[in-house]
Amino acid sequence: MAAIVRRQRQRRRVCWALVAVLLADLLALSDTLAVMSVDLGSESMKVAIVKPGVPMEIVLNKESRRKTPVIVTLKENERFFGDSAASMAIKNPKATLRYFQHLLGKQADNPHVALYQARFPEHELTFDPQRQTVHFQISPQLQFSPEEVLGMILNYSRSLAEDFAEQPIKDAVITVPVFFNQAERRAVLHAARMAGLKVLQLINDNTATALSYGVFRRKDINTTAQNIMFYDMGSGSTVCTIVTYQTVKTKEAGMQPQLQIRGVGFDRTLGGLEMELRLREHLAGLFNEQRKGQRGKDVRENPRAMAKLLREANRLKTVLSANADHMAQIEGLMDDVDFKAKVTRVEFEELCADLFERVPGPVQQALQSAEMSLDEIEQVILVGGATRVPKVQEVLLKAVGKEELGKNINADEAAAMGAVYQAAVLSKAFKVKPFVVRDAVVYPILVEFTREVEEEPGVHSLKHNKRVLFSRMGPYPQRKVITFNRYSHDFNFHINYGDLGFLGPEDLRVFGSQNLTTVKLKGVGDSFKKYTDYESKGIKAHFNLDESGVLSLDRVESVFETLVEDSPEEESTLTKLGNTISSLFGGGTTPDAKENGTDTVQEEEESPAEGSKDEPGEQVELKEEAEAPVKDASQPPPPEPKGDAAPEGEKATEKENGDKSEAQKPSEKAEAAGPEGIPPAPEGEKKQKPAKKQRMVEEIRVELVVLDLPDLPEDKLARSVQKLQDLTLRDLEKQEREKAANSLEAFIFETQDKMYQPEYKEVSTEEQREEISGKLSATSTWLEDEGFGATTAMLKEKLAELRKLCQGLFFRVEERKKWPERLSALDNLLNHSSMFLKGARLIPEMDQIFTEVEMTTLEKVINETWAWKNATLAEQAKLPATEKPVLLSKDIEAKMMALDREVQYLLNKAKFTKPRPRPKDKNETRAEPPLNASASDQEEKVIPPAGQTEDAEPISEPEKVETGSEPGDTEPLELGGPGAESEQREQSTGQKRPLKNDEL
């Protein structure tokens, strides 16, 4: 018995531990239920969230707009974001930063840096001596990098999302242009880390747009491939994407829709911003011509005037998209001189003629990368704000040769909606319908290394080798492994971009360094010395191109292998028991699975790298982590590698299979001949076991030298994080001070107005009102004179003093406002309680369900409440209105709650109390038995007529016709009548009388 109790206690402890773990998981999950996406454009951003009850919703900013400008104004003691910063761009253009995303991941010699300085000469740029990156010099004390500015914008977007979702948010999916290289993507991740965001994925904006299009048209996708072209011209760049939609068979969810990026083309500088800059230059020329005779200064030298012209050019471009001409006008453009000029659409198109000629370029690039023709494209869909320019649509329509361009997608919010859908997929808090996304690599990545070869005896030379890791337009995310078989000492290899011939000369200059990383391996020779008795299987480098398109080297291993005898005595008893239990539940492992389990490398599907046919010494092993669709069985298998280019893994597998087949031949022959056909083998042959391969993996130390753009050192990154946190705290303190000042000012104005209202005059004396008014006037004067330098604590202290002074006055007014409603409710409750008590006392003693104590208690509470009300009203009538009242609303509510509690107790008792059973009356007439009563219930003593025995069948009594209520009447039976007796009989017999037709 004691052992059973101990086992039960142990089980209870385990159950409570599991419950605690589940509760902890739920609490941790509740903090991260909401996720967000940020569609980070050059000119504006769109923020979307997903939370329980709010599926995929665009966040409204503080101005209730769905689109927020990506602008930040940085001053010595304050910051402005969004529309507030856009308005500050006119007053302080030097401290207002915009279009800074073009400088992410760029060094000082990049052409985009010089282009940014030419477009916005008011900004002073400095350079980091270590990384050679750009910094904004706002003032001698203020200096920010583009990553820090972007971190401020991301932090602001999170604050908007948290205010909209009413809960904290940490997880986000951020969109980036598809043409961002490794350095630019790492810069965005650094900015998100500075903002304290956990990036679930950096998704390409064209992929997010395609996902949004497919999610809302899931029913239109079938097994037939549909090729859609998305032409996205935004403010800063243009991207053309060819996407194939098709349903494929997946291992987990069966047939599911899939989008695959087939082709991509882009132009980094073609967009609405360049059109606005052309218009700004045109307007500046017109203004200078108007002031030519006044010997005025060139308007281009005035940053504020140029900021006004850029804002007017933006408005003008939008208006000219729908009108043939428009009047540009700016009040007080420069030196209090107004500007007014007429601009036609024809002039605008002439200014941007060379830009419109570049519109078909991305289309041709996308077709070439997809190896498709325009005839295979079913529809061309417009995305982005700049596609609303009529000339852009005209040139594009002519280039694609279609009847019309598709406009059936939200050009501004499609990317944000697709990104937030992907955020819900990646989050653990939501379950969404699967949609397979196969993104494509834009820039190929390869591995280069040099090794010494012996062409002739005694003649050595160096040979340079290249192996493509991730080819252009290949899918990602995926992992790959490259094996170096001919190295037994420490060596280096390089990770670089592949063939970038599809980029023009100017794009190559903007692209930056084509060398990514130099990898230095340390400890290769030591590993060979450690395992001298083992056969080397090469040095394996594991690469990962993750969901964000960022390449990383996970690890490098030196793998060795040897043959060992399989001795079953080495296995422990627990191991045998575990294997037996696993086999019972279907968890047994085959020899192949065991070998794969001993080494992580063998778990990956191996395939030769490009260019490995002439060099069998190095192979690439491939494993895709993404959800890969199951290919149709009708497709032909991939061609097998020829000659010596076969992957190492396949050779090893064939060798192992050969060894296993040879080892299994004796047993197979024995089974074929039967137990009696072959004599027993000698004792030595019985103990002989086939050799088993054993693998040993040694971790190799790796030293990375980043070549494209050095990453931020951890100390600098920590300082940037702290800098942004300090700015955020300063903004919060400023908001708190402004809130305190506004509250104090509002209280002064409202109270001064109340002093003249009749209800306040009635409950206050002239002296009291003069005292309050004097204090209010003094505080108002102090706020105007010294309030600008007052701290938040001082403002809150002043407000507390005024509220304490006016507390008695406000209390008397509020009490008098509540009296009529509270007293009326109390009277109603007293009347209803008295009527209930009177009815309860009229219940007959036999049917009484309330005790005398209960009714006496209720009567006492009613009488006490009546007495308290009358006494308190009489006492209140004697007091003047300017004194503190004795009749308080909280006391009235307390009396009502006490009385209501007593009444509710009796009502609940009456509701759930069953009626008492009654004793049978012998003189009472017998009620008619039920129609379906048993024979024992209907049995009566019948006197048989003469000549018949008692066993004879009695004469049946004719049915009595009931005369009473009409059909549908529901009059209750009287207590103690025949109905009660019939009911008691039904309860005693356990059967109920069926309802007749007129009783239904």
Side-chain angles (χ1 to χ4, degrees):
M1 185 66 183
I4 296 176
V5 172
R6 284 196 297 270
R7 285 198 298 269
Q8 291 178 350
R9 289 177 179 173
Q10 186 176 5
R11 290 174 183 172
R12 283 197 293 267
R13 291 172 183 169
V14 173
C15 292
W16 280 113
L18 290 175
V19 169
V21 171
L22 291 175
L23 287 176
D25 291 342
L26 289 175
L27 290 175
L29 189 61
S30 63
D31 294 338
T32 58
L33 282 180
V35 292
M36 61 177 287
S37 71
V38 184
D39 178 22
L40 202 60
S42 298
E43 184 180 21
S44 61
M45 67 176 178
K46 278 75 64 180
V47 183
I49 65 165
V50 171
K51 75 168 188 176
V54 182
M56 297 175 62
E57 180 67 25
I58 296 292
V59 172
L60 302 181
N61 59 15
K62 296 179 180 179
E63 290 77 19
S64 299
R65 297 182 181 178
R66 302 170 71 88
K67 183 166 60 174
T68 304
V70 183
I71 306 176
V72 55
T73 299
L74 302 171
K75 301 174 107 178
E76 292 291 341
N77 56 354
E78 57 185 347
R79 294 184 300 175
F80 298 95
F81 295 96
D83 295 297
S84 301
S87 61
M88 291 294 296
I90 307 299
K91 303 176 183 178
N92 195 348
K94 182 179 179 180
T96 303
L97 305 179
R98 48 187 170 181
Y99 302 105
F100 51 84
Q101 302 96 313
H102 299 169
L103 301 178
L104 289 172
K106 304 292 193 305
Q107 293 184 326
D109 58 349
N110 196 290
H112 265 197
V113 177
L115 179 62
Y116 189 88
Q117 285 183 314
R119 288 175 170 177
F120 307 101
E122 63 271 15
H123 296 311
E124 180 182 353
L125 300 181
T126 59
F127 304 101
D128 187 350
Q130 296 180 354
R131 303 177 67 219
Q132 292 299 313
T133 53
V134 179
H135 286 78
F136 293 100
Q137 192 73 37
I138 308 299
S139 67
Q141 293 78 23
L142 290 180
Q143 181 179 343
F144 299 96
S145 65
E147 290 87 352
E148 292 173 342
V149 179
L150 180 58
M152 299 178 194
I153 292 294
L154 292 177
N155 193 22
Y156 176 68
S157 67
R158 181 176 65 175
S159 66
L160 294 178
E162 289 178 345
D163 292 343
F164 192 83
E166 298 178 349
Q167 61 178 286
I169 298 178
K170 295 181 180 179
D171 301 339
V173 170
I174 303 174
T175 66
V176 295
V178 67
F179 50 77
F180 265 22
N181 56 24
Q182 294 292 313
E184 292 167 315
R185 292 175 186 269
R186 294 200 305 269
V188 176
L189 291 177
H190 288 157
R193 184 176 172 184
M194 294 176 188
L197 281 176
K198 178 185 176 183
V199 179
L200 300 177
Q201 180 181 348
L202 293 182
I203 186 171
N204 296 330
D205 48 10
N206 61 337
T207 305
T209 301
L211 179 59
S212 175
Y213 180 85
V215 165
F216 291 104
R217 292 164 180 79
R218 179 185 293 265
K219 296 182 179 179
D220 300 334
I221 302 175
N222 49 41
T223 55
T224 304
Q226 306 175 31
N227 300 321
I228 307 295
M229 176 182 288
F230 295 92
Y231 193 87
D232 181 4
M233 180 180 286
S235 176
S237 60
T238 300
V239 177
C240 181
T241 310
I242 298 176
V243 184
T244 298
Y245 293 96
Q246 188 178 9
T247 55
V248 295
K249 187 176 182 181
T250 60
K251 295 180 181 179
E252 292 82 6
M255 297 297 293
Q256 295 297 334
Q258 170 190 274
L259 71 86
Q260 182 176 2
I261 305 297
R262 299 290 300 278
V264 175
F266 56 85
D267 191 328
R268 280 180 176 260
T269 57
L270 177 61
L273 173 62
E274 187 63 29
M275 301 178 190
E276 295 170 12
L277 293 173
R278 301 281 179 94
L279 270 176
R280 183 185 70 170
E281 190 67 23
H282 177 65
L283 296 177
L286 293 178
F287 182 74
N288 287 336
E289 289 181 2
Q290 293 179 4
R291 302 185 64 212
K292 192 173 183 180
Q294 303 177 8
R295 297 180 181 179
K297 188 170 61 173
D298 189 357
V299 69
R300 298 180 181 88
E301 299 177 3
N302 190 323
R304 291 187 178 182
M306 293 301 288
K308 293 179 182 179
L309 288 175
L310 183 60
R311 183 178 63 179
E312 183 64 17
N314 181 286
R315 187 185 69 87
L316 199 61
K317 183 196 69 173
T318 304
V319 174
L320 289 178
S321 298
N323 299 274
D325 54 62
H326 187 68
M327 189 67 67
Q329 50 186 358
I330 304 174
E331 294 183 3
L333 177 58
M334 189 176 68
D335 299 335
D336 295 331
V337 177
D338 298 339
F339 170 65
K340 190 174 184 180
K342 183 179 181 181
V343 181
T344 64
R345 184 190 293 179
V346 176
E347 293 176 348
F348 170 65
E349 294 176 354
E350 290 177 355
L351 292 171
C352 306
D354 59 326
L355 299 180
F356 297 139
E357 293 176 358
R358 292 159 55 184
V359 168
V363 176
Q364 300 301 325
Q365 293 179 22
L367 292 172
Q368 291 176 4
S369 60
E371 298 180 354
M372 300 173 66
S373 63
L374 283 171
D375 297 336
E376 301 177 58
I377 306 299
E378 298 184 8
Q379 191 178 11
V380 179
I381 297 178
L382 297 178
V383 187
T387 56
R388 297 185 178 96
V389 177
K391 190 65 176 180
V392 173
Q393 299 182 13
E394 178 186 342
V395 176
L396 180 61
L397 187 62
K398 184 178 179 181
V400 299
K402 301 295 182 181
E403 295 182 359
E404 61 179 357
L405 300 174
K407 302 176 184 178
N408 52 351
I409 192 172
N410 191 326
D412 292 328
E413 301 176 359
M417 298 300 284
V420 78
Y421 185 88
Q422 185 68 7
V425 171
L426 298 175
S427 174
K428 299 179 181 179
F430 303 95
K431 183 178 181 181
V432 297
K433 294 182 179 179
F435 202 108
V436 184
V437 178
R438 292 176 64 84
D439 213 332
V441 178
V442 178
Y443 305 120
I445 299 176
L446 52 81
V447 172
E448 299 185 25
F449 56 94
T450 303
R451 61 181 178 85
E452 185 177 323
V453 296
E454 185 177 359
E455 298 179 353
E456 298 179 2
V459 179
H460 297 273
S461 62
L462 296 178
K463 186 172 183 180
H464 191 70
N465 299 274
K466 294 183 179 181
R467 298 291 178 266
V468 176
L469 274 180
F470 304 98
S471 59
R472 174 167 162 78
M473 303 314 299
Y476 79 89
Q478 61 175 323
R479 296 177 182 269
K480 285 193 176 181
V481 179
I482 186 169
T483 305
F484 302 94
N485 287 328
R486 300 187 180 182
Y487 288 96
S488 59
H489 56 276
D490 297 350
F491 66 97
N492 304 336
F493 64 89
H494 308 277
I495 306 172
N496 302 323
Y497 288 106
D499 183 16
L500 300 179
F502 58 92
L503 297 178
E506 186 64 24
D507 290 335
L508 282 176
R509 292 183 58 204
V510 174
F511 185 83
S513 174
Q514 299 185 30
N515 301 320
L516 285 172
T517 309
T518 296
V519 182
K520 299 180 180 181
L521 302 182
K522 306 293 183 181
V524 177
D526 296 340
S527 66
F528 275 82
K529 294 177 182 179
K530 185 177 180 180
Y531 299 99
T532 55
D533 298 335
Y534 286 72
E535 178 186 359
S536 174
K537 290 301 179 180
I539 311 300
K540 297 182 181 294
H542 298 253
F543 296 91
N544 178 25
L545 191 65
D546 60 12
E547 294 85 354
S548 301
V550 178
L551 177 66
S552 61
L553 178 61
D554 288 345
R555 65 189 184 278
V556 179
E557 301 170 337
S558 182
V559 182
F560 299 90
E561 189 176 277
T562 188
L563 296 177
V564 296
E565 293 185 359
D566 188 10
S567 56
E569 289 80 12
E570 295 178 358
E571 292 187 358
S572 63
T573 306
L574 292 177
T575 304
K576 293 179 180 180
L577 181 60
N579 294 338
T580 304
I581 295 175
S582 300
S583 62
L584 289 176
F585 290 94
T589 58
T590 61
D592 293 340
K594 289 181 181 179
E595 292 179 4
N596 292 339
T598 57
D599 184 20
T600 58
V601 178
Q602 288 297 324
E603 292 178 2
E604 300 174 350
E605 179 186 355
E606 299 180 351
S607 63
E610 297 182 15
S612 62
K613 294 183 179 180
D614 57 343
E615 290 292 336
E618 286 79 28
Q619 293 90 18
V620 172
E621 304 167 1
L622 165 66
K623 176 186 177 182
E624 294 187 9
E625 276 194 340
E627 181 183 3
V630 180
K631 295 185 178 180
D632 194 354
S634 61
Q635 296 181 356
E640 298 181 357
K642 300 179 181 179
D644 296 336
E648 172 198 354
E650 295 181 4
K651 293 181 181 179
T653 306
E654 292 175 2
K655 186 176 180 180
E656 293 172 9
N657 292 340
D659 296 341
K660 292 175 186 175
S661 61
E662 292 177 2
Q664 292 173 358
K665 284 181 181 179
S667 60
E668 293 174 359
K669 291 179 181 179
E671 291 175 2
E676 299 178 357
I678 294 179
E683 187 177 355
E685 294 182 4
K686 285 184 179 180
K687 293 183 179 179
Q688 187 176 3
K689 296 288 183 179
K692 181 180 179 181
K693 292 184 178 181
Q694 180 183 7
R695 281 202 170 190
M696 302 299 294
V697 177
E698 183 76 10
E699 193 80 15
I700 302 299
R701 298 190 304 274
V702 177
E703 180 182 344
L704 300 178
V705 180
V706 180
L707 302 176
D708 56 345
L709 181 67
D711 286 337
L712 272 173
E714 286 297 325
D715 56 343
K716 286 191 175 182
L717 185 59
R719 285 199 297 268
S720 297
V721 171
Q722 187 63 40
K723 184 195 297 187
L724 296 191
Q725 289 179 354
D726 294 341
L727 291 175
T728 303
L729 290 177
R730 189 190 68 183
D731 292 343
L732 292 177
E733 292 175 359
K734 179 189 172 186
Q735 294 175 5
E736 188 70 17
R737 186 196 173 283
E738 291 177 351
K739 183 178 179 182
N742 293 335
S743 300
L744 178 59
E745 188 176 6
F747 183 84
I748 292 173
F749 291 151
E750 291 177 1
T751 308
Q752 286 177 341
D753 181 62
K754 290 177 180 177
M755 292 297 100
Y756 300 97
Q757 296 178 6
E759 58 266 26
Y760 288 88
K761 287 184 176 182
E762 181 183 357
V763 297
S764 62
T765 62
E766 187 68 27
E767 292 79 9
Q768 292 174 345
R769 291 195 297 272
E770 288 179 359
E771 180 185 2
I772 293 175
S773 298
K775 189 66 174 177
L776 292 174
S777 301
T779 307
S780 179
T781 304
W782 173 86
L783 187 61
E784 293 177 359
D785 297 340
E786 305 176 15
F788 295 101
T791 61
T792 305
M794 294 173 62
L795 295 171
K796 290 183 177 180
E797 184 180 356
K798 291 287 184 181
L799 180 59
E801 291 177 0
L802 292 180
R803 284 179 173 171
K804 184 177 180 180
L805 180 62
C806 303
Q807 183 178 4
L809 173 63
F810 293 164
F811 178 75
R812 293 192 294 273
V813 173
E814 290 298 321
E815 286 297 321
R816 288 182 173 272
K817 288 181 179 179
K818 295 178 181 178
W819 282 350
E821 182 183 356
R822 298 293 193 277
L823 291 174
S824 176
L826 180 60
D827 290 339
N828 291 333
L829 183 59
L830 286 170
N831 293 332
H832 286 87
S833 301
S834 301
M835 294 174 61
F836 173 77
L837 179 61
K838 184 178 179 181
R841 291 193 178 279
L842 294 178
I843 299 176
E845 182 179 356
M846 180 168 277
D847 299 322
Q848 183 61 262
I849 59 177
F850 305 124
T851 63
E852 184 63 27
V853 175
E854 293 170 345
M855 290 186 289
T856 304
T857 303
L858 177 59
E859 184 178 9
K860 180 180 178 182
V861 173
I862 293 174
N863 295 334
E864 289 178 353
T865 305
W866 277 113
W868 174 86
K869 177 194 169 187
N870 296 332
T872 307
L873 286 176
E875 186 178 356
Q876 179 63 41
K878 299 177 182 178
L879 290 176
T882 57
E883 296 293 333
K884 182 180 178 180
V886 295
L887 180 62
L888 303 179
S889 58
K890 65 177 183 178
D891 294 340
I892 301 176
E893 292 174 357
K895 292 294 182 181
M896 291 175 60
M897 289 178 61
L899 181 57
D900 184 68
R901 182 168 56 249
E902 294 295 333
V903 175
Q904 289 296 331
Y905 171 76
L906 298 181
L907 287 175
N908 290 332
K909 184 177 181 180
K911 181 178 180 181
F912 296 105
T913 301
K914 294 182 179 180
R916 300 176 183 176
R918 286 181 164 277
K920 294 182 180 181
D921 191 357
K922 295 181 179 181
N923 298 329
E924 194 177 32
T925 57
R926 188 179 185 87
E928 182 183 358
L931 296 179
N932 60 346
S934 60
S936 61
D937 295 332
Q938 296 181 358
E939 185 177 7
E940 295 181 1
K941 186 67 177 177
V942 180
I943 301 175
Q948 290 187 359
T949 62
E950 292 184 1
D951 297 327
E953 184 177 356
I955 301 175
S956 59
E957 185 178 355
E959 283 189 25
K960 297 180 181 180
V961 180
E962 287 192 26
T963 59
S965 60
E966 293 294 327
D969 292 345
T970 57
E971 291 184 5
L973 296 175
E974 294 181 1
L975 294 177
E981 184 180 356
S982 175
E983 184 178 355
Q984 293 172 10
R985 283 202 309 271
E986 289 173 7
Q987 292 178 359
S988 63
T989 58
Q991 296 185 0
K992 294 184 179 180
R993 179 175 61 86
L995 297 175
K996 296 182 181 180
N997 292 334
D998 58 345
E999 294 177 334
L1000 292 178

